[in-house]
Amino acid sequence: HVQLVESGGGSAQVGGSLRLSCSASADALMYMAWFRQAPGKEREEVAYIDKDGSTTYADFVEGRFTITKDNAKNTLFLQMNSLKPEDTGMYYCAADRWLSLLRTNAAYWGQGTQVTVS
């Protein structure tokens, strides 16, 4: 069983930055991703990182966010710049041993960290 703990959320001004972290209790050999959910909306994928470090982003990211992973520390990051009000929501870290499951029904989820942009 893998436990994921997010941190780094908070409030930011429009155009500001936040850095989210997700600490995993166990390695790795996992695909990992960030999802978000705004009030009244469905959860959506933000970005994911492959086991080889390659990354994929949702279209709405538009080059503003960067997902990275420190394998030595089993920690996932999401650097968010040029924040917009529509980035407001609960951000979740997710992990799975299979990429297809990560994107559809990940096995492991964090508790979420709130991001508010105004």
Side-chain angles (χ1 to χ4, degrees):
H1 182 70
V2 177
Q3 290 184 318
L4 304 174
V5 180
E6 300 99 334
S7 61
S11 297
Q13 293 184 337
V14 173
S17 299
L18 286 172
R19 189 190 195 209
L20 307 184
S21 300
C22 172
S23 178
S25 63
D27 175 45
L29 299 186
M30 289 269 191
Y31 294 94
M32 297 188 76
W34 288 100
F35 289 79
R36 72 184 188 183
Q37 187 167 21
K41 294 187 176 181
E42 293 188 353
R43 186 174 59 201
E44 59 184 353
E45 180 184 288
V46 177
Y48 69 86
I49 187 164
D50 227 317
K51 294 179 182 180
D52 63 4
S54 60
T55 58
T56 301
Y57 298 91
D59 289 343
F60 61 77
V61 170
E62 300 174 323
R64 301 177 297 125
F65 299 174
T66 302
I67 185 172
T68 56
K69 187 168 180 277
D70 184 333
N71 289 320
K73 297 181 178 180
N74 294 332
T75 302
L76 182 73
F77 300 98
L78 184 68
Q79 177 66 44
M80 303 187 295
N81 300 326
S82 302
L83 285 164
K84 304 175 181 180
E86 51 264 44
D87 294 319
T88 294
M90 189 70 77
Y91 283 68
Y92 298 91
C93 170
D96 202 289
R97 288 181 173 83
W98 300 97
L99 180 58
S100 58
L101 290 179
L102 174 72
R103 305 188 73 188
T104 59
N105 189 25
Y108 307 107
W109 290 89
Q111 82 288 352
T113 185
Q114 177 68 36
V115 171
T116 302
V117 184
S118 60

